[in-house]
């Protein structure tokens, strides 16, 4: 089960994910992105993976597509850092956890 929280700020839009990111849930995240993307207007798109506890191939593929759209990732463990690195081909930037 995945919970997703959106943090809409002046300079960024963050999707905070908590739980397992599997194919079905990943589709919901991508749909939320499609809905929210027109509102970005130059703001940074961030995906906070610090609460992700599990991931399947569908979830990983979704992260890759989001990275292709310019998403940056926040990580908190070797597991989430590896997922972000595989999705984006780069090391996640150190960002503070959204509150």
């Amino acid at each position: 089960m995945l919970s997703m929280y959106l943090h809409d700020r002046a300079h960024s839009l963050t999707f905070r994910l908590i739980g397992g990111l599997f194919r079905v849930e990943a589709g919901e995240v991508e749909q939320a992105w499609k809905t929210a993307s027109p509102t970005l207007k130059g703001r940074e798109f961030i995906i906070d993976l610090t609460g992700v506890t599990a991931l399947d191939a569908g979830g990983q593929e979704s992260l890759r597509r989001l990275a292709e759209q310019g998403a940056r990732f926040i990580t908190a463990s070797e597991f989430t850092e590896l997922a972000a690195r595989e999705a984006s081909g780069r090391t996640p930037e150190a960002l503070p956890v959204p509150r």
Side-chain angles (χ1 to χ4, degrees), residues 8 13 18 21-22 27-28 37 40 45 55 59 70-71 80 82 86:
D8 195 0
L13 174 65
I18 300 172
L21 182 59
F22 303 111
E28 293 172 7
S37 63
L40 282 179
F45 177 48
L55 184 72
T80 56
L82 178 61
E86 286 180 6

Side-chain angles (χ1 to χ4, degrees):
M1 178 120 186
L2 181 76
S3 295
M4 179 172 53
Y5 300 92
L6 277 59
H7 300 273
D8 195 0
R9 298 201 167 109
H11 299 288
S12 65
L13 174 65
T14 301
F15 286 10
R16 184 170 185 216
L17 308 180
I18 300 172
L21 182 59
F22 303 111
R23 185 169 305 280
V24 172
E25 293 87 351
E28 293 172 7
V29 173
E30 286 190 70
Q31 184 57 51
W33 157 247
K34 287 176 186 174
T35 300
S37 63
T39 70
L40 282 179
K41 298 178 181 160
R43 293 182 299 154
E44 188 170 36
F45 177 48
I46 301 168
I47 301 177
D48 181 347
L49 300 174
T50 59
V52 172
T53 56
L55 184 72
D56 71 0
Q60 187 64 47
E61 181 62 23
S62 179
L63 292 180
R64 185 192 61 74
R65 284 191 294 272
L66 292 168
E68 288 174 352
Q69 296 298 315
R72 289 181 52 198
F73 300 100
I74 298 174
T75 64
S77 67
E78 288 182 35
F79 170 71
T80 56
E81 186 170 328
L82 178 61
R85 188 178 306 123
E86 286 180 6
S88 66
R90 64 185 187 270
T91 304
E93 293 81 1
L95 297 170
V97 175
R99 303 219 189 282

